Amino acid sequence: MQRRMSRGPGRRPGPTETREKILAEARALFAEKGYDGASLRAIARAAGVDPALVHHFFGNKEGVFVEAMRFPADPAVVLPRILGAPRERLGETMVRVFLEIWGDDERRAPLLAMLRSAMTNERAAALLREFVTAALLGRAKEATDAPPLGIQAAVGQMIGIMILRHVVRIEPLASASEDELVELVAPTLQRYLVP
Amino acid sequence: MQRRMSRGPGRRPGPTETREKILAEARALFAEKGYDGASLRAIARAAGVDPALVHHFFGNKEGVFVEAMRFPADPAVVLPRILGAPRERLGETMVRVFLEIWGDDERRAPLLAMLRSAMTNERAAALLREFVTAALLGRAKEATDAPPLGIQAAVGQMIGIMILRHVVRIEPLASASEDELVELVAPTLQRYLVP
C-alpha cells in the first residue's frame, strides 16, 4: 500500500514533507468519513507511512485532527487546565480559558471557520459533533462529574457570547473587559458544572 | 424621482407587486447602507412610492426590515411577550420564546442564514448589529431595567445553545425536552435580567 511521495526520481521526502502529507491526507479523510470514521491507521495508509510515525508526530487521532483542522485548542492541553482548577472555581477558570483562546485573532479565525462550515454543510457539522463528543465531552466525563447537559450549556454560553462579542460586535459586550465578563458569566458556568 | 414600475405599457402595479418592490429595494438599501443608514424615506424613494404607503404596509423601518430580511421574530410582537411576564419569570419566559422560535424549521432557517452571513461578511455583521441594537436592545431598555450586558449575555446563552442543539446537534442537548432546557437555563437568564 506504500505510495511514492518523492517529487523527483530518487529523492526521499524529509520529515516536514511527510508531516504535511499526513495532515493533507487526514483532512481529506476527516472530510470524507467524519471523525469517528477516519482511523489513525487509515490516515497512515493514505499517506503511505507506518502508523507508528503518525503516533510519533501527533500522539493520537485527536492530535492529528487538532493539527489538520487547525483546531485552535488542543483538548489534551485545555481540558486539564480547566479540570485541574479547584472545584469552586471551575466556572471562572472555564470563562478565562475561553476568553484567552477567543481573544487571540489567530486562534479565533479557524474556530469561526469551523462553525461557519458547520452552519452550511452537514458533513462539517457531523465532523465537529463527532470530534467534540469524542475528544472533549468523552474526556471531560472521565475527569469530572459535571452533568453532560450542563457542560454543553456552559459551552453554548461561551460560544454565544463570543459570537456577539467578536462577530456581531455588539456593545457593551464587545468592549467589556475580561474581568467584567468573568464576573457576569462565571457564576452561570459554575452552576452548570457543579449543580 | 418617481420610477416606472409597470411591466407592460399602461399597466399599473397591484398592491402585492408594490409591496414586493418595496421589500426588494429595502433589501438592497439595507445591504448597501446598513440598518441605521437606510431611512424609510429613502426606501420609499427607491421603490417610487410615497413614504405613507410604506408606513401603511409595514408600520415602520423595523417592520420593513423584519419582512425584507425574513427576520423570523418581529420585535414588536416578541418583546412585549417577554417583558410582559411577571418579573420573577422573566428568565423562563425568554427561554420559552426562544425555544419556540428556534424550534420551528421555517423560522430557524432565516436566523441561521443571517448569522452565517454575519460570520462571513462585515457588512452583514454591521446590519445585524445595528438592527439588534436599535430594534431589540433600544426597545428593551425603555421597557425594563435589565442591564444591557446582562441582556446580551442572555441572548448569547440562547444563541449558543441553539447552535449546539440545532446545527452541531450534539447529544444530549439536541434531544433534551423544552422543559429540561427551561429548568437548566431559566435561572441563568433570570440572574442576567434581574440581577
Side-chain angles (χ1 to χ4, degrees), chain B residues 13-33:
Chain B
T16 308
E17 274 175 335
T18 305
R19 208 173 173 283
E20 288 307 315
K21 171 76 176 159
I22 294 169
L23 292 177
E25 296 291 350
R27 262 189 297 274
L29 265 179
F30 283 133
E32 190 192 335
K33 309 220 178 249

Side-chain angles (χ1 to χ4, degrees), chain A residues 116 118-120 122 129 132 137 152-153 156-157 160 163-164 167-173 184 187-188 191-192, chain B residues 116 118-120 122 129 132 137 152-153 156-157 160 163-164 167-173 184 187-188 191-192:
Chain A
R116 203 181 293 132
M119 287 171 83
T120 20
E122 169 49 31
R129 172 171 66 243
V132 170
L137 299 176
Q152 293 174 11
Q157 172 73 84
I163 288 178
L164 290 178
V167 179
V168 182
R169 291 210 297 278
I170 200 161
E171 294 295 354
L173 193 56
L184 183 70
T188 297
R191 189 185 134 258
Y192 288 147
Chain B
R116 202 182 292 133
M119 288 171 82
T120 20
E122 170 49 32
R129 173 169 65 244
V132 170
L137 300 175
Q152 293 174 11
Q157 172 72 85
I163 288 177
L164 290 179
V167 179
V168 183
R169 291 210 297 278
I170 200 162
E171 293 296 353
L173 193 56
L184 183 72
T188 297
R191 190 185 132 256
Y192 288 147

